């Protein structure tokens, strides 16, 4: 009977010990990750570069509407979709982000651009957007670009 | 030694084993983060991808990669495998520790030829860009 009481007492003192270890470990891991590993985010710059590239291409090239990928030197739609880099070009649209009219959408990779219209603090989990506008031959084009590109860790042999 | 003391001793030993494992594990974690291979491979993969996105066919660029090669060397990684450019999948992979690499995709449709040049006097990654189907000489 005495031995059972002793064993029960051991368990009772072991759990607070483990609990403190977990709390301390959690604090150190969190602190270290915040300090070293907050990640390097280039999605905003990436969206801006894509926007600039498309805007420039619209201004400089003729016939870009037929095949924007080849004309503007952008990888094809499927690859862009896989890496979550998207864009949409509208013509004379009031709101390109929500534009549904096929007449006003000149070209799009598809995908949802609603997060580009959110105001205020937007969660880091959303991709980053860039919104631009160019005018060519009296026609106003809006360009929305989005990047949700992520780093991919891969295990490799030694 | 009586039974009570033996129990106390064995209990203390168990606690110390747990504590040692805990300190060892945390120490390893913090050292790994401080070494920075994870952070820096992420950084270099994204920076190189960004440079590729901005490049035009005909451009030749040299990037200072001294920091990356230093970390890779300290971790025993073959320097020739530190930077990989995959023109087919359009991605840049950076490997700064054994057994793991980080890859980041780019969207610029150019052909990229990369070459790591050591000791000039720093280590540089030379990138040459050409149009797809037109190889550099």
């Amino acid at each position: 009977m005495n031995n059972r009481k002793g064993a029960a007492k051991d368990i009772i003192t072991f759990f607070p010990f483990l609990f403190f270890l977990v709390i301390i470990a959690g604090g150190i891991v969190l602190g270290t990750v915040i300090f070293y590993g907050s990640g390097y985010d280039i999605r905003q710059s990436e969206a801006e570069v894509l926007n600039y590239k498309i805007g420039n291409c619209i201004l400089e090239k003729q016939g870009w509407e037929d095949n924007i990928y080849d004309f503007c030197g952008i990888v094809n739609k499927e690859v862009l979709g896989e890496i979550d880099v998207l864009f949409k070009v509208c013509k004379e649209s009031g709101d390109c982000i929500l534009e549904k009219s096929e007449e006003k959408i000149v070209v799009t990779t598809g995908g949802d651009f609603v997060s580009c219209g959110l105001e205020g603090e937007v969660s880091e989990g959303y991709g980053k957007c860039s919104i631009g506008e160019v005018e060519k031959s009296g026609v106003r084009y809006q360009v929305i670009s989005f990047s949700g590109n992520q780093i991919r860790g891969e295990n490799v042999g030694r | 030694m009586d039974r009570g003391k033996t129990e106390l001793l064995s209990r203390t030993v168990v606690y110390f084993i747990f504590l040692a494992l805990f300190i060892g594990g945390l120490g390893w974690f913090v050292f790994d983060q401080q070494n920075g291979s994870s952070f820096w491979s992420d950084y270099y993969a994204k920076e190189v991808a960004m440079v590729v996105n901005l490049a035009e066919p005909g451009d030749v660029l040299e990037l200072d990669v001294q920091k990356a090669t230093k970390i890779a060397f300290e971790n025993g990684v073959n320097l020739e495998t530190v930077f990989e450019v995959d023109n087919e999948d359009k991605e840049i992979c950076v490997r700064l520790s054994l057994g793991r690499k980080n890859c980041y995709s780019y969207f610029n449709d150019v052909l990229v030829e990369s070459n790591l040049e050591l000791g000039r006097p720093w280590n540089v990654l030379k990138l040459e860009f050409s149009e797809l189907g037109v190889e550099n000489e």
Side-chain angles (χ1 to χ4, degrees):
Chain A
M1 190 68 183
N2 273 347
N3 277 347
R4 276 190 199 161
K5 268 186 186 171
K9 204 175 166 187
D10 280 351
I11 291 169
I12 289 167
T13 53
F14 184 70
F15 278 111
F17 171 74
L18 208 61
F19 176 74
F20 281 120
L21 287 193
V22 169
I23 295 290
I24 292 166
I28 291 174
V29 168
L30 191 70
T32 313
V33 167
I34 288 170
F35 189 75
Y36 292 111
S38 53
Y40 183 62
D41 195 353
I42 61 161
R43 291 175 301 170
Q44 185 62 52
S45 317
E46 213 169 29
E48 280 164 16
V49 169
L50 181 61
N51 206 298
Y52 171 79
K53 207 171 160 68
I54 293 170
N56 233 14
C57 182
I58 292 171
L59 292 174
E60 287 176 359
K61 304 261 167 91
Q62 297 297 329
W64 59 270
E65 299 99 323
D66 302 333
N67 189 344
I68 195 167
Y69 304 98
D70 280 353
F71 272 85
C72 303
I74 301 168
V75 296
N76 66 45
K77 191 175 174 176
E78 287 71 32
V79 177
L80 287 178
E82 280 170 24
I83 63 174
D84 204 15
V85 172
L86 311 168
F87 69 86
K88 185 177 182 181
V89 181
C90 306
K91 189 163 69 174
E92 300 292 353
S93 167
D95 183 3
C96 189
I97 293 170
L98 300 173
E99 188 62 72
K100 298 270 185 232
S101 163
E102 284 185 17
E103 283 175 14
K104 291 189 173 179
I105 299 173
V106 184
V107 59
T108 180
T109 52
D112 188 4
F113 296 88
V114 175
S115 66
C116 299
L118 298 176
E119 288 178 9
E121 283 281 310
V122 179
S123 163
E124 282 298 305
Y126 287 112
K128 303 289 181 185
C129 302
S130 175
I131 301 171
E133 199 174 289
V134 291
E135 199 174 319
K136 186 181 184 182
S137 311
V139 182
R140 201 167 48 90
Y141 295 96
Q142 293 91 18
V143 182
I144 313 281
S145 54
F146 170 94
S147 172
N149 201 355
Q150 295 287 341
I151 195 94
R152 287 172 304 284
E154 289 176 20
N155 291 324
V156 286
R158 290 176 163 257
Chain B
M1 205 183 284
D2 62 33
R3 204 169 155 180
K5 281 182 182 167
T6 315
E7 271 181 20
L8 183 67
L9 186 68
S10 61
R11 205 186 306 156
T12 310
V13 167
V14 169
Y15 275 74
F16 267 103
I17 289 170
F18 266 93
L19 204 61
L21 287 175
F22 169 79
I23 290 169
L26 276 185
W28 175 82
F29 174 76
V30 174
F31 178 78
D32 188 56
Q33 292 290 319
Q34 201 180 17
N35 170 280
S37 60
S38 168
F39 172 82
W40 287 107
S41 61
D42 175 273
Y43 171 85
Y44 277 102
K46 287 173 178 173
E47 275 296 308
V48 176
M50 199 63 193
V51 166
V52 173
N53 281 334
L54 284 163
E56 298 278 341
D59 288 352
V60 178
L61 297 168
E62 289 184 354
L63 306 176
D64 180 347
V65 292
Q66 181 70 22
K67 177 91 185 172
T69 48
K70 185 172 179 274
I71 294 169
F73 181 75
E74 284 169 0
N75 287 335
V77 176
N78 178 356
L79 293 186
E80 295 204 344
T81 65
V82 173
F83 293 96
E84 283 171 26
V85 179
D86 187 337
N87 280 297
E88 209 159 294
D89 290 335
K90 305 285 178 201
E91 65 179 15
I92 307 290
C93 293
V94 180
R95 184 181 179 191
L96 299 183
S97 61
L98 291 172
R100 192 144 183 90
K101 65 179 178 181
N102 276 332
C103 301
Y104 201 75
S105 300
Y106 55 88
F107 55 74
N108 195 4
D109 206 10
V110 286
L111 190 68
V112 189
E113 201 179 302
S114 72
N115 192 21
L116 183 64
E117 297 184 355
L118 306 173
R120 301 187 33 202
W122 298 282
N123 299 337
V124 295
L125 181 69
K126 188 173 181 183
L127 299 168
E128 292 181 56
F129 302 91
S130 54
E131 274 185 54
L132 282 175
V134 185
E135 298 264 354
N136 282 329
E137 283 179 17

